[in-house]
Amino acid sequence: MSRPENSTRLTLKEQVLLHRATVNRLTIHLRNRTAALNLLNRCIYTLGFGSNDYINNYFMPESYTSSRRFTPEQFARLIAREYGIQLNKLYEDGARKVALLGVGPIGFIPYELGRYGPAEAPRLNTAVELFNEELTDLVAELNANLTDARFTFLNTTGISSAGNIKLEQLVPCCPVQRNNMTCIPFNNNICPDRRLPIFFDNVHPTEVANEPVANRYYAALDPTDANPFSIQQLAQLQI
């Protein structure tokens, strides 16, 4: 997606261009492009994109028109198609082992619960799952077309929904102003037990949430955690 006006976030396209610049510098350093690409061939790329397209665009109808211009199905296809374009560019610049992180259940993050309420969470989560389905199809397509590379999909939603989440765990650890995403600056009133909350602020998960998800990305404890490879399997593949 294009960068929203006045946004400081880099689009995926801009980040891929920065990766290309890094590859060029690596080529100069090694004095050989083939050597640079061979080095990158052994790396594992993990990409997690899409959440901002929903949180800061599609689910903000007061600021953006995307939810009026596109159905959830159309929007999911649109951003997945752009994702595919950029992934092919990464492939051209040496990426051969790539893991795509699915977007988690956005309807349950504190920011969206504050804006829409619990009753609307299923609608938001369903829209995001359409994107995750597009990513699954994209991974299959890339693996079929780029036979000297391996792509995999990591099922964030399935992993995140596996346990019983208590309501108090959805309260941010730091004080956050209403309809704001991040902590109130210079406020030291942080939750005393950081082992409990799933979110540090209104959108960003804590280590308590991230660590078990990362472990399942790596080992695929359930067959639905990763498709077709876990991170561990991706690391062991000889490309």
Side-chain angles (χ1 to χ4, degrees), residues 4 6 17 20 36 49 51 58 65 67 117 124 135-136 138 142 158-159 181 183 210 212 226-227 235:
N6 299 325
L17 287 173
R20 177 161 291 179
F49 288 92
S51 58
Y58 197 71
T65 62
S67 61
L124 274 59
L135 284 191
T136 303
L138 177 60
L142 290 167
I159 296 172
M181 295 188 184
C183 302
N210 284 326
N227 182 27

Side-chain angles (χ1 to χ4, degrees), residues 93-143:
D93 287 327
R96 291 296 182 272
K97 298 181 178 184
V98 184
L100 307 185
L101 280 64
V103 177
I106 283 176
F108 293 135
I109 68 172
Y111 180 72
E112 298 298 3
L113 286 171
R115 283 171 53 83
Y116 290 99
E120 284 293 291
R123 178 179 68 85
L124 274 59
N125 292 338
T126 297
V128 169
E129 271 305 290
L130 292 170
F131 172 65
N132 288 335
E133 291 170 7
E134 291 288 337
L135 284 191
T136 303
D137 292 341
L138 177 60
V139 162
E141 179 183 332
L142 290 167
N143 282 329

Side-chain angles (χ1 to χ4, degrees), residues 54-233:
Y54 284 96
I55 297 172
N56 297 308
N57 190 306
Y58 197 71
F59 296 149
M60 275 190 174
E62 71 280 5
S63 301
Y64 301 100
T65 62
S66 54
S67 61
R68 295 188 291 276
R69 293 166 52 209
F70 305 106
T71 66
E73 292 82 1
Q74 290 170 334
F75 190 73
R77 283 194 295 270
L78 176 68
I79 57 177
R81 184 164 59 245
E82 176 63 23
Y83 210 161
I85 292 171
Q86 302 309 321
L87 288 169
N88 273 281
K89 291 180 180 178
L90 280 178
Y91 169 83
E92 292 171 2
D93 287 327
R96 291 296 182 272
K97 298 181 178 184
V98 184
L100 307 185
L101 280 64
V103 177
I106 283 176
F108 293 135
I109 68 172
Y111 180 72
E112 298 298 3
L113 286 171
R115 283 171 53 83
Y116 290 99
E120 284 293 291
R123 178 179 68 85
L124 274 59
N125 292 338
T126 297
V128 169
E129 271 305 290
L130 292 170
F131 172 65
N132 288 335
E133 291 170 7
E134 291 288 337
L135 284 191
T136 303
D137 292 341
L138 177 60
V139 162
E141 179 183 332
L142 290 167
N143 282 329
N145 294 336
L146 306 176
T147 55
D148 61 336
R150 296 295 182 269
F151 294 79
T152 193
F153 171 76
L154 303 178
N155 184 13
T156 306
T157 294
I159 296 172
S160 302
S161 304
N164 295 319
I165 298 174
K166 299 177 181 178
L167 188 59
E168 58 265 29
Q169 290 179 286
L170 298 178
V171 176
C173 179
C174 74
V176 182
Q177 290 178 334
R178 181 176 175 81
N179 291 333
N180 206 338
M181 295 188 184
T182 54
C183 302
I184 297 174
F186 310 112
N187 190 308
N188 296 321
N189 187 23
I190 306 299
C191 62
D193 188 354
R194 302 187 193 181
R195 295 170 299 176
L196 177 65
I198 291 176
F199 292 93
F200 190 78
D201 55 19
N202 255 354
V203 292
H204 298 103
T206 61
E207 184 177 352
V208 169
N210 284 326
E211 184 176 358
V213 171
N215 288 337
R216 288 182 61 171
Y217 286 160
Y218 180 77
L221 301 179
D222 186 278
T224 64
D225 288 350
N227 182 27
F229 310 108
S230 67
I231 293 292
Q232 183 179 30
Q233 290 170 328

Side-chain angles (χ1 to χ4, degrees), residues 8-45:
T8 57
R9 300 177 184 87
L10 294 177
T11 65
L12 177 56
K13 180 178 180 180
E14 289 170 322
Q15 293 181 60
V16 169
L17 287 173
L18 288 173
H19 174 267
R20 177 161 291 179
T22 300
V23 174
N24 290 337
R25 288 197 294 270
L26 184 61
T27 298
I28 293 171
H29 177 72
L30 297 176
R31 300 181 181 180
N32 187 303
R33 181 169 175 81
T34 299
L37 295 181
N38 286 339
L39 181 63
L40 294 173
N41 289 172
R42 301 197 299 271
C43 297
I44 294 179
Y45 289 68

